[in-house]
Amino acid sequence: MTRVGIGYDSHRFVAGRPLILGGVTIPHPHGLAGHSDADAVAHALTDAILGAAGAGNIGELFPDTDPHWKDADSMELLRTAHELVRGRGYSLAQADCSVITERPRLGPHLGAMAAALASRLGVEAAAISVKAKTNEGMGFIGRGEGLAVIAVAVLEAR
Ligand code: MG
């Protein structure tokens, strides 16, 4: 049996934090605000995986009111979510992520992000796709206030 889940996340750019996306630290004057390390790619993919299994969402599993998750490594939250759905008899077969941001240009980092995600999830590199696009200057993304990520995950029964 195959199950599909979608995840969405957005974070605001702030000064004084590193920009971490898909487990990769990307040179940029601004990072992302958040309780954890604010890795929006990891967060969106976590929600997609949980959603595909009907296993709730990232906010339920790792509440941002819990000091334990302060500055948490979101790639570890992602791995934990995958372990949870594996415990329910599923594993990640494929994932596709789109990062929507005006800056920085993410093209040079997409391969590293996909490799880092695949490595942390214990799946083949070819199973993970990460893409980037701008928002054509429109809205909060267009004004550079923040970025958003959409992710889709396909789980297969093991
Ligand atoms: Mg988030």
Side-chain angles (χ1 to χ4, degrees), residues 68-82:
H68 183 70
W69 307 118
K70 176 114 176 67
D71 296 324
D73 172 3
S74 298
M75 294 288 279
E76 199 51 26
L77 308 187
L78 173 63
R79 191 191 62 78
T80 301
H82 188 217

mmCIF file with all atom_site columns, all heavy atoms in Angstrom, residues 68-82:
data_model
loop_
_atom_site.group_PDB
_atom_site.id
_atom_site.type_symbol
_atom_site.label_atom_id
_atom_site.label_alt_id
_atom_site.label_comp_id
_atom_site.label_asym_id
_atom_site.label_entity_id
_atom_site.label_seq_id
_atom_site.pdbx_PDB_ins_code
_atom_site.Cartn_x
_atom_site.Cartn_y
_atom_site.Cartn_z
_atom_site.occupancy
_atom_site.B_iso_or_equiv
_atom_site.pdbx_formal_charge
_atom_site.auth_seq_id
_atom_site.auth_comp_id
_atom_site.auth_asym_id
_atom_site.auth_atom_id
_atom_site.pdbx_PDB_model_num
ATOM 1   N N   . HIS A 1 68 ? 12.614 21.590 25.722 1.00 0.00 ? 68 HIS A N   1
ATOM 2   C CA  . HIS A 1 68 ? 13.493 20.518 25.238 1.00 0.00 ? 68 HIS A CA  1
ATOM 3   C C   . HIS A 1 68 ? 13.835 20.702 23.764 1.00 0.00 ? 68 HIS A C   1
ATOM 4   O O   . HIS A 1 68 ? 14.898 20.294 23.314 1.00 0.00 ? 68 HIS A O   1
ATOM 5   C CB  . HIS A 1 68 ? 12.813 19.158 25.452 1.00 0.00 ? 68 HIS A CB  1
ATOM 6   C CG  . HIS A 1 68 ? 13.675 17.998 25.055 1.00 0.00 ? 68 HIS A CG  1
ATOM 7   N ND1 . HIS A 1 68 ? 14.802 17.637 25.772 1.00 0.00 ? 68 HIS A ND1 1
ATOM 8   C CD2 . HIS A 1 68 ? 13.595 17.122 24.019 1.00 0.00 ? 68 HIS A CD2 1
ATOM 9   C CE1 . HIS A 1 68 ? 15.368 16.588 25.188 1.00 0.00 ? 68 HIS A CE1 1
ATOM 10  N NE2 . HIS A 1 68 ? 14.661 16.245 24.129 1.00 0.00 ? 68 HIS A NE2 1
ATOM 11  N N   . TRP A 1 69 ? 12.915 21.313 23.005 1.00 0.00 ? 69 TRP A N   1
ATOM 12  C CA  . TRP A 1 69 ? 13.112 21.448 21.565 1.00 0.00 ? 69 TRP A CA  1
ATOM 13  C C   . TRP A 1 69 ? 13.719 22.788 21.169 1.00 0.00 ? 69 TRP A C   1
ATOM 14  O O   . TRP A 1 69 ? 13.853 23.093 19.994 1.00 0.00 ? 69 TRP A O   1
ATOM 15  C CB  . TRP A 1 69 ? 11.792 21.228 20.809 1.00 0.00 ? 69 TRP A CB  1
ATOM 16  C CG  . TRP A 1 69 ? 11.139 19.940 21.172 1.00 0.00 ? 69 TRP A CG  1
ATOM 17  C CD1 . TRP A 1 69 ? 9.919  19.772 21.752 1.00 0.00 ? 69 TRP A CD1 1
ATOM 18  C CD2 . TRP A 1 69 ? 11.677 18.616 20.999 1.00 0.00 ? 69 TRP A CD2 1
ATOM 19  N NE1 . TRP A 1 69 ? 9.663  18.440 21.956 1.00 0.00 ? 69 TRP A NE1 1
ATOM 20  C CE2 . TRP A 1 69 ? 10.721 17.705 21.508 1.00 0.00 ? 69 TRP A CE2 1
ATOM 21  C CE3 . TRP A 1 69 ? 12.879 18.110 20.486 1.00 0.00 ? 69 TRP A CE3 1
ATOM 22  C CZ2 . TRP A 1 69 ? 10.932 16.327 21.511 1.00 0.00 ? 69 TRP A CZ2 1
ATOM 23  C CZ3 . TRP A 1 69 ? 13.085 16.745 20.491 1.00 0.00 ? 69 TRP A CZ3 1
ATOM 24  C CH2 . TRP A 1 69 ? 12.119 15.872 21.002 1.00 0.00 ? 69 TRP A CH2 1
ATOM 25  N N   . LYS A 1 70 ? 14.110 23.592 22.199 1.00 0.00 ? 70 LYS A N   1
ATOM 26  C CA  . LYS A 1 70 ? 14.729 24.880 21.902 1.00 0.00 ? 70 LYS A CA  1
ATOM 27  C C   . LYS A 1 70 ? 16.024 24.655 21.125 1.00 0.00 ? 70 LYS A C   1
ATOM 28  O O   . LYS A 1 70 ? 16.886 23.872 21.549 1.00 0.00 ? 70 LYS A O   1
ATOM 29  C CB  . LYS A 1 70 ? 15.009 25.624 23.220 1.00 0.00 ? 70 LYS A CB  1
ATOM 30  C CG  . LYS A 1 70 ? 15.740 26.930 23.053 1.00 0.00 ? 70 LYS A CG  1
ATOM 31  C CD  . LYS A 1 70 ? 14.866 28.111 23.459 1.00 0.00 ? 70 LYS A CD  1
ATOM 32  C CE  . LYS A 1 70 ? 15.638 29.415 23.374 1.00 0.00 ? 70 LYS A CE  1
ATOM 33  N NZ  . LYS A 1 70 ? 15.979 29.774 21.981 1.00 0.00 ? 70 LYS A NZ  1
ATOM 34  N N   . ASP A 1 71 ? 16.142 25.347 19.989 1.00 0.00 ? 71 ASP A N   1
ATOM 35  C CA  . ASP A 1 71 ? 17.321 25.235 19.115 1.00 0.00 ? 71 ASP A CA  1
ATOM 36  C C   . ASP A 1 71 ? 17.572 23.793 18.653 1.00 0.00 ? 71 ASP A C   1
ATOM 37  O O   . ASP A 1 71 ? 18.696 23.420 18.320 1.00 0.00 ? 71 ASP A O   1
ATOM 38  C CB  . ASP A 1 71 ? 18.585 25.795 19.791 1.00 0.00 ? 71 ASP A CB  1
ATOM 39  C CG  . ASP A 1 71 ? 18.473 27.291 20.060 1.00 0.00 ? 71 ASP A CG  1
ATOM 40  O OD1 . ASP A 1 71 ? 17.882 28.002 19.228 1.00 0.00 ? 71 ASP A OD1 1
ATOM 41  O OD2 . ASP A 1 71 ? 18.977 27.741 21.101 1.00 0.00 ? 71 ASP A OD2 1
ATOM 42  N N   . ALA A 1 72 ? 16.522 22.979 18.655 1.00 0.00 ? 72 ALA A N   1
ATOM 43  C CA  . ALA A 1 72 ? 16.666 21.568 18.299 1.00 0.00 ? 72 ALA A CA  1
ATOM 44  C C   . ALA A 1 72 ? 17.182 21.404 16.864 1.00 0.00 ? 72 ALA A C   1
ATOM 45  O O   . ALA A 1 72 ? 16.926 22.239 15.998 1.00 0.00 ? 72 ALA A O   1
ATOM 46  C CB  . ALA A 1 72 ? 15.322 20.859 18.433 1.00 0.00 ? 72 ALA A CB  1
ATOM 47  N N   . ASP A 1 73 ? 17.924 20.317 16.649 1.00 0.00 ? 73 ASP A N   1
ATOM 48  C CA  . ASP A 1 73 ? 18.377 19.916 15.313 1.00 0.00 ? 73 ASP A CA  1
ATOM 49  C C   . ASP A 1 73 ? 17.161 19.326 14.590 1.00 0.00 ? 73 ASP A C   1
ATOM 50  O O   . ASP A 1 73 ? 16.743 18.211 14.874 1.00 0.00 ? 73 ASP A O   1
ATOM 51  C CB  . ASP A 1 73 ? 19.496 18.886 15.463 1.00 0.00 ? 73 ASP A CB  1
ATOM 52  C CG  . ASP A 1 73 ? 19.903 18.267 14.129 1.00 0.00 ? 73 ASP A CG  1
ATOM 53  O OD1 . ASP A 1 73 ? 19.360 18.675 13.078 1.00 0.00 ? 73 ASP A OD1 1
ATOM 54  O OD2 . ASP A 1 73 ? 20.761 17.365 14.154 1.00 0.00 ? 73 ASP A OD2 1
ATOM 55  N N   . SER A 1 74 ? 16.595 20.085 13.662 1.00 0.00 ? 74 SER A N   1
ATOM 56  C CA  . SER A 1 74 ? 15.350 19.647 13.019 1.00 0.00 ? 74 SER A CA  1
ATOM 57  C C   . SER A 1 74 ? 15.542 18.404 12.170 1.00 0.00 ? 74 SER A C   1
ATOM 58  O O   . SER A 1 74 ? 14.585 17.667 11.928 1.00 0.00 ? 74 SER A O   1
ATOM 59  C CB  . SER A 1 74 ? 14.789 20.788 12.169 1.00 0.00 ? 74 SER A CB  1
ATOM 60  O OG  . SER A 1 74 ? 14.482 21.888 12.991 1.00 0.00 ? 74 SER A OG  1
ATOM 61  N N   . MET A 1 75 ? 16.766 18.145 11.719 1.00 0.00 ? 75 MET A N   1
ATOM 62  C CA  . MET A 1 75 ? 17.023 16.918 10.980 1.00 0.00 ? 75 MET A CA  1
ATOM 63  C C   . MET A 1 75 ? 16.828 15.712 11.903 1.00 0.00 ? 75 MET A C   1
ATOM 64  O O   . MET A 1 75 ? 16.443 14.638 11.463 1.00 0.00 ? 75 MET A O   1
ATOM 65  C CB  . MET A 1 75 ? 18.440 16.930 10.403 1.00 0.00 ? 75 MET A CB  1
ATOM 66  C CG  . MET A 1 75 ? 18.639 17.991 9.347  1.00 0.00 ? 75 MET A CG  1
ATOM 67  S SD  . MET A 1 75 ? 17.784 17.589 7.801  1.00 0.00 ? 75 MET A SD  1
ATOM 68  C CE  . MET A 1 75 ? 18.976 16.447 7.072  1.00 0.00 ? 75 MET A CE  1
ATOM 69  N N   . GLU A 1 76 ? 17.093 15.912 13.183 1.00 0.00 ? 76 GLU A N   1
ATOM 70  C CA  . GLU A 1 76 ? 16.893 14.830 14.143 1.00 0.00 ? 76 GLU A CA  1
ATOM 71  C C   . GLU A 1 76 ? 15.390 14.646 14.413 1.00 0.00 ? 76 GLU A C   1
ATOM 72  O O   . GLU A 1 76 ? 14.925 13.516 14.594 1.00 0.00 ? 76 GLU A O   1
ATOM 73  C CB  . GLU A 1 76 ? 17.662 15.142 15.427 1.00 0.00 ? 76 GLU A CB  1
ATOM 74  C CG  . GLU A 1 76 ? 17.920 13.962 16.319 1.00 0.00 ? 76 GLU A CG  1
ATOM 75  C CD  . GLU A 1 76 ? 18.553 12.757 15.620 1.00 0.00 ? 76 GLU A CD  1
ATOM 76  O OE1 . GLU A 1 76 ? 19.245 12.923 14.596 1.00 0.00 ? 76 GLU A OE1 1
ATOM 77  O OE2 . GLU A 1 76 ? 18.327 11.636 16.098 1.00 0.00 ? 76 GLU A OE2 1
ATOM 78  N N   . LEU A 1 77 ? 14.638 15.744 14.412 1.00 0.00 ? 77 LEU A N   1
ATOM 79  C CA  . LEU A 1 77 ? 13.177 15.624 14.532 1.00 0.00 ? 77 LEU A CA  1
ATOM 80  C C   . LEU A 1 77 ? 12.622 14.854 13.335 1.00 0.00 ? 77 LEU A C   1
ATOM 81  O O   . LEU A 1 77 ? 11.740 14.000 13.465 1.00 0.00 ? 77 LEU A O   1
ATOM 82  C CB  . LEU A 1 77 ? 12.517 17.008 14.609 1.00 0.00 ? 77 LEU A CB  1
ATOM 83  C CG  . LEU A 1 77 ? 13.052 18.000 15.639 1.00 0.00 ? 77 LEU A CG  1
ATOM 84  C CD1 . LEU A 1 77 ? 12.155 19.243 15.685 1.00 0.00 ? 77 LEU A CD1 1
ATOM 85  C CD2 . LEU A 1 77 ? 13.142 17.372 17.018 1.00 0.00 ? 77 LEU A CD2 1
ATOM 86  N N   . LEU A 1 78 ? 13.159 15.160 12.155 1.00 0.00 ? 78 LEU A N   1
ATOM 87  C CA  . LEU A 1 78 ? 12.748 14.474 10.927 1.00 0.00 ? 78 LEU A CA  1
ATOM 88  C C   . LEU A 1 78 ? 13.039 12.974 11.024 1.00 0.00 ? 78 LEU A C   1
ATOM 89  O O   . LEU A 1 78 ? 12.184 12.136 10.715 1.00 0.00 ? 78 LEU A O   1
ATOM 90  C CB  . LEU A 1 78 ? 13.491 15.093 9.733  1.00 0.00 ? 78 LEU A CB  1
ATOM 91  C CG  . LEU A 1 78 ? 13.330 14.405 8.380  1.00 0.00 ? 78 LEU A CG  1
ATOM 92  C CD1 . LEU A 1 78 ? 11.892 14.443 7.919  1.00 0.00 ? 78 LEU A CD1 1
ATOM 93  C CD2 . LEU A 1 78 ? 14.244 15.087 7.349  1.00 0.00 ? 78 LEU A CD2 1
ATOM 94  N N   . ARG A 1 79 ? 14.252 12.640 11.465 1.00 0.00 ? 79 ARG A N   1
ATOM 95  C CA  . ARG A 1 79 ? 14.630 11.233 11.595 1.00 0.00 ? 79 ARG A CA  1
ATOM 96  C C   . ARG A 1 79 ? 13.706 10.527 12.599 1.00 0.00 ? 79 ARG A C   1
ATOM 97  O O   . ARG A 1 79 ? 13.255 9.401  12.377 1.00 0.00 ? 79 ARG A O   1
ATOM 98  C CB  . ARG A 1 79 ? 16.088 11.118 12.066 1.00 0.00 ? 79 ARG A CB  1
ATOM 99  C CG  . ARG A 1 79 ? 16.663 9.706  11.969 1.00 0.00 ? 79 ARG A CG  1
ATOM 100 C CD  . ARG A 1 79 ? 17.990 9.589  12.691 1.00 0.00 ? 79 ARG A CD  1
ATOM 101 N NE  . ARG A 1 79 ? 17.856 9.857  14.119 1.00 0.00 ? 79 ARG A NE  1
ATOM 102 C CZ  . ARG A 1 79 ? 17.370 8.989  14.992 1.00 0.00 ? 79 ARG A CZ  1
ATOM 103 N NH1 . ARG A 1 79 ? 16.968 7.800  14.603 1.00 0.00 ? 79 ARG A NH1 1
ATOM 104 N NH2 . ARG A 1 79 ? 17.262 9.320  16.274 1.00 0.00 ? 79 ARG A NH2 1
ATOM 105 N N   . THR A 1 80 ? 13.407 11.218 13.690 1.00 0.00 ? 80 THR A N   1
ATOM 106 C CA  . THR A 1 80 ? 12.536 10.648 14.716 1.00 0.00 ? 80 THR A CA  1
ATOM 107 C C   . THR A 1 80 ? 11.129 10.397 14.166 1.00 0.00 ? 80 THR A C   1
ATOM 108 O O   . THR A 1 80 ? 10.513 9.363  14.442 1.00 0.00 ? 80 THR A O   1
ATOM 109 C CB  . THR A 1 80 ? 12.470 11.598 15.937 1.00 0.00 ? 80 THR A CB  1
ATOM 110 O OG1 . THR A 1 80 ? 13.796 11.774 16.433 1.00 0.00 ? 80 THR A OG1 1
ATOM 111 C CG2 . THR A 1 80 ? 11.569 11.041 17.031 1.00 0.00 ? 80 THR A CG2 1
ATOM 112 N N   . ALA A 1 81 ? 10.619 11.337 13.372 1.00 0.00 ? 81 ALA A N   1
ATOM 113 C CA  . ALA A 1 81 ? 9.291  11.168 12.772 1.00 0.00 ? 81 ALA A CA  1
ATOM 114 C C   . ALA A 1 81 ? 9.278  9.975  11.821 1.00 0.00 ? 81 ALA A C   1
ATOM 115 O O   . ALA A 1 81 ? 8.321  9.202  11.774 1.00 0.00 ? 81 ALA A O   1
ATOM 116 C CB  . ALA A 1 81 ? 8.882  12.439 12.037 1.00 0.00 ? 81 ALA A CB  1
ATOM 117 N N   . HIS A 1 82 ? 10.368 9.825  11.060 1.00 0.00 ? 82 HIS A N   1
ATOM 118 C CA  . HIS A 1 82 ? 10.447 8.684  10.143 1.00 0.00 ? 82 HIS A CA  1
ATOM 119 C C   . HIS A 1 82 ? 10.500 7.380  10.935 1.00 0.00 ? 82 HIS A C   1
ATOM 120 O O   . HIS A 1 82 ? 9.861  6.379  10.555 1.00 0.00 ? 82 HIS A O   1
ATOM 121 C CB  . HIS A 1 82 ? 11.680 8.830  9.237  1.00 0.00 ? 82 HIS A CB  1
ATOM 122 C CG  . HIS A 1 82 ? 11.730 7.819  8.141  1.00 0.00 ? 82 HIS A CG  1
ATOM 123 N ND1 . HIS A 1 82 ? 12.907 7.262  7.712  1.00 0.00 ? 82 HIS A ND1 1
ATOM 124 C CD2 . HIS A 1 82 ? 10.752 7.240  7.390  1.00 0.00 ? 82 HIS A CD2 1
ATOM 125 C CE1 . HIS A 1 82 ? 12.638 6.394  6.730  1.00 0.00 ? 82 HIS A CE1 1
ATOM 126 N NE2 . HIS A 1 82 ? 11.350 6.375  6.522  1.00 0.00 ? 82 HIS A NE2 1
#
